[in-house]
Amino acid sequence: MGLEHYLSIFTKAVFIENIVLAYFLGLCSFLAISKKIDASVGIGMAVVVVLTITAPINWYLWEFLLKDGALSWIHPNLSEVNLDFLKLIVFISVIAAMVQLVEIFMEKFSQSLYNSLGIFLPLIAVNCSILGGSLFMVEREYLLSETIVYGFGSGVGFLLAIVALASVRYRLRYSNIPPRLRGVAMAMLLTGLLSMAFMAFSGIDL
Amino acid sequence: MELFNSESKKIISDPINVNNPISLQVLGICSALAVTIRVDQAIIMSLAVIFVLASSNVILSMIRNFIPNRVRIVIMLSVIASLVSVVDQLLQAYMYDMSKQLSVFVGLIITNCIVMGRAEAFALKHGPSKAFLDGIGNGLGYGMIIIIVSFFRELFGSGTITLPDGGAGYVLFSIPESWYAAGYENIGLLVLSPGAFIILGLVIWFQRELIGIEEEA
């Protein structure tokens, strides 16, 4: 499979099947944090980092531990063992642990990065886009290389969507919105419009 | 403790009405939108969430005095993840079509912020029976909103109302052929994701208008 294949997975994950605007994942933090532009850039970067790391790790666990017959590399007798019912628990523990690890690493090696991203990391453990990335990877039967590209692309898609929404909300601060439409309800309508705009990409065939 | 005094009633009815998890606490929106293409999906999803929410609240509330504060997130996640795995397996065993349609969104109940949010805000501070009622109440509040959203999306988007049954769903109502012949058309946009965002935005607006709650900025 050539470069175009990976390029197409990446473009799909960023634009056509944007994880927020097409699959509704990670909306809680998407709505809560998009009030400020610099904070949304921060959480977007953190999502890119964590998704790119956790998706391949979960791929290894799925391929060599959880999948139907995955244990056969230990002993042929184990080839009938199917642990896939454990996937939710394993994936979420990996994500929670990785988020902690990334936080510790960041604090040790780059204080400035930690200061800007650190507070968002704990939030990300329960961001559905991270778990969703791993579950989609299983459902679509991606290879390892495809998983890395897909994880990174989904993260970039999240970053793009949250920064776009934050910018629109920033501009709307001076508009006269009906008082009870303000806040979340308005953000939902805006997200609807953004998602409509992103649907224009769906005609692109790669 | 009696189950039906006025305080218990308030614990159940508040989250349905004035403190709704979706429209006022703004929790659990991710899954709320993805499963609202058809009413039967929304109903099954609400039942799953009510089950997970009530049981996780009860379990966490029973062990709340033994959980060290620092590791509480991991403990909450593992309790919730086990319960969601049970629901996932049950759906695969008894409602295979439905579990295929809901795909990853059953698993994503784990990261549904309502479950974590209620555990953190309520179950860790109250006894099991109150926590149970709180779980039921918030589950019902969540279910109410997603069923309303799915009703509009299915009725105007696909022209049917489907209720859940063992297989592909029982069609309760569909817009008669003569309407289509007369020029009526379904709004295709509602089936797609923008429709979900816009309908939910309008529902939230409507509910806040009813209750009279405003938000800053």
Side-chain angles (χ1 to χ4, degrees), chain A residues 21 24 28 85 128 139 195 199, chain B residues 30 89 103 113 192-194 209:
Chain A
L21 300 173
F24 315 107
C28 300
F85 64 94
C128 10
E139 199 178 78
S195 139
M199 277 181 57
Chain B
C30 320
Q89 295 292 313
S103 81
C113 351
L192 302 168
S193 35
E209 203 67 61

Side-chain angles (χ1 to χ4, degrees), chain B residues 3 8 15 28 46 54-55 63 65 110 112-113 120 126 128 130 132 150-151 154 160 169-170 180 190 195 201 214:
Chain B
L3 209 57
S8 323
S46 331
S55 354
I63 59 173
N65 295 327
I110 298 176
N112 188 322
C113 351
E120 176 90 21
H126 295 82
K130 273 189 192 169
F132 174 74
S150 68
F151 176 80
E154 189 179 358
T160 52
Y170 167 74
Y180 291 111
L190 286 186
E214 289 173 22

Side-chain angles (χ1 to χ4, degrees), chain A residues 67-163:
Chain A
K67 205 164 85 169
D68 192 7
L71 288 173
S72 57
W73 60 276
I74 299 177
H75 193 276
N77 288 350
L78 291 175
S79 64
E80 280 169 19
V81 180
N82 181 359
L83 292 178
D84 80 351
F85 64 94
L86 285 177
K87 74 170 182 246
L88 295 175
I89 297 182
V90 171
F91 285 179
I92 196 72
S93 337
V94 166
I95 290 168
M98 279 321 295
V99 168
Q100 289 276 305
L101 268 182
V102 170
E103 199 180 347
I104 294 168
F105 262 100
M106 236 181 225
E107 198 179 0
K108 265 269 188 275
F109 292 111
S110 165
Q111 200 61 42
S112 63
L113 201 62
Y114 179 74
N115 288 338
S116 55
L117 295 188
I119 46 165
F120 300 114
L121 284 171
L123 279 176
I124 286 182
V126 287
N127 185 323
C128 10
S129 57
I130 313 285
L131 183 61
S134 293
L135 291 176
F136 274 126
M137 168 267 297
V138 166
E139 199 178 78
R140 297 178 188 169
E141 296 169 355
Y142 279 145
L143 301 173
L144 176 60
S145 48
E146 291 172 326
T147 304
I148 298 174
V149 175
Y150 174 73
F152 180 67
S154 304
V156 174
F158 183 87
L159 175 68
L160 194 66
I162 195 169
V163 174

Side-chain angles (χ1 to χ4, degrees), chain A residues 191-204:
Chain A
T191 317
L193 294 179
L194 265 183
S195 139
M196 221 184 277
F198 267 65
M199 277 181 57
F201 290 114
S202 63
I204 299 173

Side-chain angles (χ1 to χ4, degrees), chain A residues 20-21 23-25 27-28 31 85 88-89 126 128 132 135 139 179-181 183-185 188-189 191-192 195-196 199, chain B residues 26 28-30 33-34 89 103-104 107-108 111 113 116 189 192-194 197-198 200-201 205 209 212-215 217:
Chain A
V20 182
L21 300 173
Y23 286 108
F24 315 107
L25 299 180
L27 273 175
C28 300
L31 291 175
F85 64 94
L88 295 175
I89 297 182
V126 287
C128 10
L135 291 176
E139 199 178 78
R180 276 150 199 168
L181 182 60
V184 186
M188 293 303 294
L189 295 185
T191 317
S195 139
M196 221 184 277
M199 277 181 57
Chain B
V26 201
I29 296 190
C30 320
L33 289 169
Q89 295 292 313
S103 81
V104 301
L108 288 173
T111 47
C113 351
M116 285 288 273
L189 190 67
L192 302 168
S193 35
F197 286 115
I198 291 170
L200 184 61
W205 182 17
E209 203 67 61
I213 288 180
E214 289 173 22
E215 188 182 336

